[in-house]
Amino acid sequence: MLKSAIWLLWVAAMPMVIHSTSASWGTALKPITNSSSDTITPNPNLITTSRGSSTRPSYITTLTAKKMEQLLPMVINTWNMSEANEMAWRILQQSEGGVRQTRNAVVEGVTRCEELQCFHSVGYGGSPDERGETTLDAMVMDGGLMDVGAVGGLRNIKEAIRVARFVLEHTSHTLLVGQSATDFAVSMGFRTSSLVTPWSHDEWEKWKAKNCQPNCWLNVNPDPKLSCGPYVPKATPLTRWKEDRARNEYEIGENNHDTIGMIAIDVENQIHTGTSTNGMTHKIPGRVGDSPIVGAGSYADNEVGAAVATGDGDVMMRFLPSLLAVEAMRNGKSPQEAAELGIKRIAKYYKDFIGAVIAVNRLGQYAAACYGIPEFPYMISNPTHTVSVQTVKCLPYVHVEPLPKS
C-alpha cells in the first residue's frame, strides 16, 4: 500500500515537473528577436551565385541589438584611402543594415581607389616593372560561400577587382593570371587600354638612368647593385639577410602605400573582403604578390571574421597572415591579439620586413598591428565612426640572430 501511495503521488506531480521543466527549456530556447533587451541570433545568410547557394550556420551572440547597431554594418580598409572607404560605406547604406551589399561595397570601394590611382600603388599608371609596364593583382572573397575570385599580373585592363569578381561569379576557378586573365576579361566585356601613364613612364626612365637601382635580383652577374641586366645566375648560396636588405630599399610606408585591403560586414554577419594593387615598383615581370592569394592578402569566414594584410608581399605571403589572424580569432583570440600574431610570426624570421594586418571579428570588433614603420593608418566606417582615419603604433623591432651560413 505504501508503495502504491508513493506511486500515485509521483504520477500526480509529473505534470507540474514537466510544466516547470518545459518552462525552463522554453526560456533557454525561445525564439530570439531583435528587441534591444534580447540576446540576438543573426539570420542565416543565403546568397545565390553561379556556384550555388550557401546557408552557413549562425551562432548566438552575447551582444544586445543596441550594441550590435553600434558596430555593424561596417567597412574598414588599409591606409588612409578615404575615398574608397566613403564609396563602400555609401553602398552599404543602400539597404537596411547593409544586407546583401557587402560584395558590392568592397568591389566598388576598391574600384574607386583603382580609378583614383591611390598613391600610385593601386590601379593603372603606377609601379612600373622592369620593362616599364604596369600590371594589376586583385581578389574578392565571400565569407559565406568561402568562394574566391582573383587575378594576378593582369595586363591592359584597368578594372582589376571587377574582373576578379567575374572570376568568382562566372567560373569555377579561383585565380587567373597574365595575358590569359586579360583574354578572359575581354570575353566578359571589359575594354582594354594601356596601363602606362606619363608618370609611370617617367619613373621607369629615371630608374634606368640610376643603373636600375633598386631592383629585385639576387646572386646574379653582373652585380645587380651596380648595373642593369640582362643577368645570369651566380654560383653563390642565397641568404635570407641579403633578400631582406634588397626588399627594404623599397620603403613601403607613407611614400609607397602598397595594397588596399578592405573588409565589409552587414548586420547579418555576411562578410566580403577585397584587395587590389599594382605590385612592387620595378618588379621582375611576372611577379605576383600576396594581394590575390587566399589567406595572404585577405581571408573571410562568416563564422569568425576577416583579415587583410599589406606590406612586403613577397615575405608576407609565405606566412598567410590573414588566415593566421582569422584562425586565431576562431580559437578565442581578440582581434588585437590575432592581428599581432600574424605580424609576430613573420618578424620571428624576417626582422626587416614591413607590413600590417587588420583583423575584424564577425561582430564588427576590429584592431590593427604593424611592423617596420612608426605607425599605420587605416579607415573605418560604422554607425559610430563614419569615414574616419585611425592610427596604430607599430610593434617594436624584433632582434633576430642571423642563420648560420650553409
Side-chain angles (χ1 to χ4, degrees):
M1 288 294 293
L2 180 59
K3 289 183 179 180
S4 299
I6 293 174
W7 170 256
L8 291 173
L9 288 172
W10 184 81
V11 170
M14 276 301 294
M16 297 178 63
V17 173
I18 293 172
H19 176 76
S20 175
T21 304
S22 300
S24 299
W25 289 350
T27 301
L29 300 178
K30 69 179 181 179
I32 309 272
T33 70
N34 288 328
S35 167
S36 62
S37 63
D38 291 322
T39 304
I40 65 171
T41 301
N43 295 328
N45 191 25
L46 175 63
I47 295 181
T48 302
T49 72
S50 61
R51 304 194 195 187
S53 301
S54 171
T55 52
R56 301 295 297 281
S58 296
Y59 297 93
I60 296 175
T61 73
T62 57
L63 293 182
T64 66
K66 182 177 181 180
K67 291 180 180 178
M68 181 70 79
E69 289 170 359
Q70 295 174 351
L71 298 175
L72 296 176
M74 65 98 71
V75 59
I76 191 169
N77 62 266
T78 57
W79 304 108
N80 51 344
M81 297 173 176
S82 58
E83 294 92 346
N85 190 276
E86 182 179 6
M87 174 63 75
W89 182 243
R90 187 184 310 160
I91 291 172
L92 280 183
Q93 301 307 298
Q94 292 179 1
S95 66
E96 185 175 356
V99 174
R100 297 184 181 274
Q101 291 295 337
T102 53
R103 182 177 299 182
N104 293 332
V106 298
V107 171
E108 296 310 311
V110 171
T111 294
R112 182 59 178 155
C113 220
E114 293 173 344
E115 294 170 343
L116 294 172
Q117 305 168 273
C118 285
F119 303 101
H120 294 293
S121 65
V122 177
Y124 70 100
S127 301
D129 65 18
E130 286 191 343
R131 297 173 184 165
E133 182 180 10
T134 294
T135 56
L136 308 178
D137 304 334
M139 173 174 62
V140 181
M141 183 166 187
D142 182 326
L145 296 167
M146 301 308 292
D147 212 350
V148 178
V151 291
L154 180 69
R155 305 177 67 227
N156 300 320
I157 301 287
K158 291 183 177 180
E159 302 160 280
I161 195 167
R162 286 177 176 167
V163 177
R165 179 176 186 163
F166 270 60
V167 174
L168 186 156
E169 295 180 350
H170 300 289
T171 82
S172 60
H173 299 314
T174 294
L175 173 65
L176 299 180
V177 299
Q179 184 60 44
S180 295
T182 300
D183 295 342
F184 165 78
V186 171
S187 73
M188 293 290 102
F190 290 87
R191 297 168 59 181
T192 60
S193 61
S194 174
L195 302 185
V196 177
T197 63
W199 182 91
S200 65
H201 182 76
D202 184 58
E203 289 296 300
W204 178 61
E205 291 286 1
K206 289 190 292 185
W207 175 73
K208 288 196 302 178
K210 294 191 300 181
N211 295 322
C212 302
Q213 302 303 309
N215 59 61
C216 300
W217 292 90
L218 297 170
N219 302 297
V220 292
N221 284 317
D223 187 346
K225 296 293 184 183
L226 302 175
S227 66
C228 298
Y231 304 105
V232 296
K234 181 179 179 181
T236 301
L238 293 172
T239 66
R240 189 181 73 218
W241 308 105
K242 289 181 181 179
E243 187 176 3
D244 285 343
R245 287 196 297 271
R247 289 208 180 90
N248 200 42
E249 293 176 5
Y250 287 96
E251 298 181 352
I252 297 167
E254 288 301 313
N255 298 318
N256 185 359
H257 281 66
D258 191 60
T259 305
I260 181 171
M262 180 177 287
I263 301 167
I265 311 178
D266 68 20
V267 294
E268 293 186 348
N269 309 105
Q270 170 62 46
I271 308 174
H272 276 85
T273 62
T275 65
S276 183
T277 183
N278 51 38
M280 178 179 284
T281 304
H282 311 313
K283 62 192 175 187
I284 298 171
R287 180 264 190 185
V288 173
D290 64 324
S291 296
I293 306 302
V294 183
S298 77
Y299 196 77
D301 187 336
N302 284 6
E303 295 180 3
V304 182
V308 291
T310 181
D312 187 346
D314 286 291
V315 168
M316 297 181 74
M317 68 193 299
R318 302 169 188 175
F319 297 85
L320 301 178
S322 294
L323 175 63
L324 284 177
V326 172
E327 291 307 302
M329 290 189 290
R330 192 190 306 278
N331 291 324
K333 299 292 186 182
S334 68
Q336 185 66 56
E337 293 170 322
E340 290 183 4
L341 175 66
I343 293 295
K344 290 177 179 178
R345 181 74 60 85
I346 304 169
K348 178 181 178 181
Y349 296 93
Y350 292 92
K351 64 184 180 66
D352 292 328
F353 96 98
I354 296 172
V357 172
I358 297 175
V360 184
N361 66 23
R362 65 189 299 274
L363 306 179
Q365 298 167 321
Y366 61 91
C370 54
Y371 182 84
I373 51 178
E375 59 186 24
F376 169 64
Y378 58 98
M379 302 298 305
I380 174 71
S381 284
N382 62 25
T384 58
H385 299 87
T386 303
V387 195
S388 63
V389 61
Q390 299 192 11
T391 303
V392 60
K393 297 293 183 182
C394 293
L395 298 174
Y397 173 82
V398 175
H399 175 72
V400 181
E401 291 294 336
L403 294 176
K405 294 183 178 180
S406 58

